Amino acid sequence: LDSKSKGNDLPQIAMLPAHWRPEPTPLLRLGARHDGGYVVPLKAVEAANSLLSFGVERDWSFEKDFAARKKTGFRIDCFDPTTLSTAPKLSFPRRIWRTLSGRRHFRHLHVGSDSALANFFGKPAVKLHQLWIGDSPDINVEALSFQAVLKLVGPQTPFFLKIDIEGSEWGILDEILNHSGLICGIAIEFHGLDEQHRTLSRDHELFRKFAVCNVHANNNIPEFKNIPDVIEFSLLNRSLMNGPSAFDHLDLNRPNQPGRDEIKIDYLAG
């Protein structure tokens, strides 16, 4: 595998394995126009009875858009290891601060007002957990296995799973597949694919249990040798595919880093 071109001044084309090619199904974009937004299968969003979100950073626009498409009270559990110590405590109403602080979560402030943070994370159905998922990069931060997450929150099934945890996704992938029957869809950002792309081989259980519906290369790291280092995959439980679809959709993907060329994608034959 090798890229067809390199450098910031030319569009790059990444040649990906044939079995990563998306299968056609209706899609929609949730979240920010650039980094923080994901193109996901519509059927998974419609089927979801709750949302587990691993990795929030400074942007909860995906979670907010997801909730807007569901009934009031739709359950969302967010996990991110940074504490609320970065938040401007005195700017919150005391009631809201107690609510947030008692929920153990949150990373940095959203690009927006304090009231926007309080309006979303202050909702009773939205919980924030100050916990890392998978292999913690910080020995001072408690980390949970995927099984432990399920035991902790007891999500309503089927649930949608969003994962952006900076490489720790590899450590929980087998656990996720062991519970695939509980999951209607996944938006996951795989890190280190330039080195680890062979892990996601044609016979990997991931592709037997989930259909690839969208693939997008993150252009925050524009240079690559073989395959872009970070790629977003959107997946749909195969039980929801309902056979081949001739649905033709507009390209909803956007560059993670505006102002840089998008990394174009093509697929090897086979």
Side-chain angles (χ1 to χ4, degrees), residues 57-110:
E57 296 219 349
R58 295 175 296 275
D59 190 342
W60 57 82
S61 58
F62 177 85
E63 291 78 8
K64 183 178 179 181
D65 282 0
F66 205 113
R69 299 187 67 90
K70 310 301 289 189
K71 293 181 179 179
T72 301
F74 179 76
R75 175 78 175 271
I76 299 176
D77 283 274
C78 300
F79 289 79
D80 205 294
T82 305
T83 67
L84 279 168
S85 60
T86 57
K89 181 175 180 179
L90 296 179
S91 68
F92 285 101
R94 185 171 298 175
R95 175 182 60 83
I96 294 296
W97 183 261
R98 283 201 304 263
T99 300
L100 293 175
S101 297
R103 286 187 180 170
R104 304 191 64 194
H105 151 306
F106 185 75
R107 202 175 225 173
H108 303 291
L109 286 179
H110 179 253

Side-chain angles (χ1 to χ4, degrees), residues 21-33:
R21 185 188 297 272
E23 300 180 34
T25 189
L27 302 172
L28 74 161
R29 184 179 183 89
L30 299 177
R33 179 173 175 81

Side-chain angles (χ1 to χ4, degrees), residues 1-6 12-21 170 189-202 207 215-233 263-268:
L1 300 174
D2 197 5
S3 59
K4 289 184 176 179
S5 60
K6 298 179 181 178
Q12 298 195 75
I13 300 179
M15 297 302 297
L16 304 185
H19 60 280
W20 292 8
R21 185 188 297 272
W170 297 104
E189 191 166 73
F190 281 109
H191 299 77
L193 273 176
D194 193 31
E195 299 288 338
Q196 299 197 61
H197 60 267
R198 290 181 180 83
T199 302
L200 298 180
S201 61
R202 185 182 297 275
F207 304 113
V215 174
H216 177 250
N218 188 325
N219 71 338
N220 273 310
I221 306 177
E223 296 287 343
F224 58 92
K225 293 181 180 178
N226 301 306
I227 283 180
D229 192 62
V230 181
I231 298 182
E232 302 158 0
F233 282 75
I263 298 174
K264 298 183 182 300
I265 287 175
D266 202 352
Y267 297 89
L268 297 169

Side-chain angles (χ1 to χ4, degrees), residues 21-259:
R21 185 188 297 272
E23 300 180 34
T25 189
L27 302 172
L28 74 161
R29 184 179 183 89
L30 299 177
R33 179 173 175 81
H34 297 288
D35 201 31
Y38 294 86
V39 177
V40 295
L42 175 62
K43 290 179 181 178
V45 176
E46 293 176 338
N49 287 322
S50 59
L51 169 64
L52 291 183
S53 179
F54 300 164
V56 177
E57 296 219 349
R58 295 175 296 275
D59 190 342
W60 57 82
S61 58
F62 177 85
E63 291 78 8
K64 183 178 179 181
D65 282 0
F66 205 113
R69 299 187 67 90
K70 310 301 289 189
K71 293 181 179 179
T72 301
F74 179 76
R75 175 78 175 271
I76 299 176
D77 283 274
C78 300
F79 289 79
D80 205 294
T82 305
T83 67
L84 279 168
S85 60
T86 57
K89 181 175 180 179
L90 296 179
S91 68
F92 285 101
R94 185 171 298 175
R95 175 182 60 83
I96 294 296
W97 183 261
R98 283 201 304 263
T99 300
L100 293 175
S101 297
R103 286 187 180 170
R104 304 191 64 194
H105 151 306
F106 185 75
R107 202 175 225 173
H108 303 291
L109 286 179
H110 179 253
V111 180
S113 67
D114 299 345
S115 62
L117 185 149
N119 286 340
F120 185 66
F121 289 110
K123 295 178 181 178
V126 181
K127 295 188 177 181
L128 301 98
H129 307 267
Q130 190 186 328
L131 297 165
W132 190 263
I133 308 301
D135 300 322
S136 174
D138 185 344
I139 61 174
N140 296 314
V141 176
E142 183 181 357
L144 291 184
S145 67
F146 186 69
Q147 176 67 40
V149 170
L150 299 183
K151 184 177 180 180
L152 175 67
V153 304
Q156 294 180 325
T157 59
F159 57 84
F160 191 95
L161 187 57
K162 190 206 86 173
I163 306 172
D164 182 6
I165 49 178
E166 310 305 323
S168 292
E169 63 275 2
W170 297 104
I172 62 172
L173 188 55
D174 287 345
E175 282 189 285
I176 290 171
L177 295 174
N178 289 339
H179 295 87
S180 61
L182 306 178
I183 305 167
C184 54
I186 303 173
I188 181 169
E189 191 166 73
F190 281 109
H191 299 77
L193 273 176
D194 193 31
E195 299 288 338
Q196 299 197 61
H197 60 267
R198 290 181 180 83
T199 302
L200 298 180
S201 61
R202 185 182 297 275
D203 59 354
H204 197 287
E205 191 176 5
L206 178 70
F207 304 113
R208 182 171 62 84
K209 294 185 173 182
F210 291 91
V212 178
C213 299
N214 190 69
V215 174
H216 177 250
N218 188 325
N219 71 338
N220 273 310
I221 306 177
E223 296 287 343
F224 58 92
K225 293 181 180 178
N226 301 306
I227 283 180
D229 192 62
V230 181
I231 298 182
E232 302 158 0
F233 282 75
S234 291
L235 307 163
L236 177 65
N237 193 300
R238 287 202 174 275
S239 66
L240 298 174
M241 280 297 287
N242 299 323
S245 171
F247 184 84
D248 187 20
H249 65 275
L250 297 174
D251 186 2
L252 302 174
N253 290 305
R254 299 288 183 270
N256 297 75
Q257 182 67 41

